[in-house]
Amino acid sequence: MSMGMGMSMGMGIVDQLTRAAGDGDAALVARLLGEGVGVDAPDSEGHTALDLAVRRGHADVVRLLIAAGADPEQRAGEYQESTPLCLAAAHGHTAVVRALLDAGAHTGAQGRMSHAPLVLAATTGDEGHPETVDLLLDHGADINVVMKDRTPLDWAVWFGQVPMVQQLLDRGATPTAKACTTAHERTERHPESRQKYERIIDALLAADPATCTEPAIRHACDQENGTGTTPSGMRRR
């Protein structure tokens, strides 16, 4: 018995489609769609073909599914809490992000968690995903979008991502007193990382000296309630 026959007998046709999409098997995806499988039909675990193709970075399959009518702004993620664009941005799948943007996916806050794709692209991984950030900005993403009370720049400062802080500033991000306050606080709390936070403070000062004045920092401190969150929703320590 062939592998294809075994798969057909062992799982439903929708499950075959989602597995093929997750595996990046564009030929099989095209064949199954041609046989009439619903492009956005959920499989036995509740996932669609687009969801899995996006998560695994298969841009060619993503374009194929969208051409067949897949909704680029459908619910996605393990618990249907996200969107294809947020998932692609968080994973740094730039080619997938491009395919979704070409299909009309919007760049603002989205999904059940109201995540901003730009914040996810800027802060996930050790240093964010620079190419994905540039692509989103080139397609009109708001560089000062606020997610959980912080801008992408504020979050990059929080995580001590020196190159991303500089990239966002170079692209026109507005330095904030909150960003400068965060850099000073992180320097005090994490002396082992003092050098990188001092580099961040220097970058913020170079972009706008007024952001790190004593009155601005004091005002920002007054606004902080001490229970900030990370982009993923975890409370800071």
Side-chain angles (χ1 to χ4, degrees):
M1 181 170 61
S2 71
M3 183 179 298
M5 290 180 62
M7 185 173 70
S8 296
M9 294 176 63
M11 67 176 69
I13 193 167
V14 174
D15 287 68
Q16 293 178 47
L17 175 64
T18 56
R19 172 176 287 187
D23 289 343
D25 190 340
L28 182 53
V29 169
R31 179 170 70 77
L32 291 169
L33 291 173
E35 293 175 3
V37 184
V39 68
D40 280 338
D43 64 13
S44 57
E45 296 185 353
H47 304 305
T48 66
L50 183 64
D51 184 351
L52 297 183
V54 165
R55 280 195 259 176
R56 296 178 186 173
H58 301 307
D60 55 340
V61 175
V62 169
R63 289 189 180 276
L64 176 62
L65 292 167
I66 289 173
D71 179 4
E73 296 187 342
Q74 64 184 260
R75 290 185 178 182
E78 199 63 35
Y79 305 102
Q80 303 293 295
E81 78 286 1
S82 192
T83 66
L85 186 59
C86 281
L87 293 177
H91 285 91
H93 295 323
T94 306
V96 173
V97 170
R98 186 182 299 278
L100 293 167
L101 293 173
D102 288 347
H106 75 96
T107 59
Q110 54 198 264
R112 205 167 66 228
M113 308 295 289
S114 294
H115 282 165
L118 182 61
V119 173
L120 300 179
T123 59
T124 52
D126 291 337
E127 294 293 347
H129 305 290
E131 291 184 5
T132 307
V133 166
D134 277 338
L135 180 62
L136 287 166
L137 291 173
D138 291 343
H139 279 73
D142 179 3
I143 197 168
N144 296 312
V145 63
V146 175
M147 176 176 144
K148 299 184 186 298
D149 298 322
R150 295 179 188 270
T151 67
L153 178 63
D154 294 337
W155 281 118
V157 170
W158 171 269
F159 288 115
Q161 297 170 312
V162 180
M164 182 55 65
V165 167
Q166 191 61 62
Q167 179 179 354
L168 290 169
L169 289 172
D170 290 344
R171 290 299 304 257
T174 302
T176 63
K178 177 180 285 189
C180 196
T181 301
T182 297
H184 281 286
E185 289 177 347
R186 303 293 275 180
T187 300
E188 294 174 1
R189 295 180 185 180
H190 302 278
E192 74 282 1
S193 300
R194 173 178 295 274
Q195 187 174 24
K196 70 178 179 181
Y197 283 109
E198 287 179 346
R199 290 171 60 193
I200 287 174
I201 292 170
D202 288 343
L204 294 170
L205 280 168
D208 183 1
T211 60
C212 288
T213 61
E214 284 295 329
I217 292 174
R218 193 178 307 115
H219 178 73
C221 287
D222 290 342
Q223 298 301 311
E224 289 287 306
N225 59 18
T227 57
T229 57
T230 68
S232 63
M234 297 176 62
R235 296 173 74 84
R236 75 182 184 189
R237 298 179 182 180

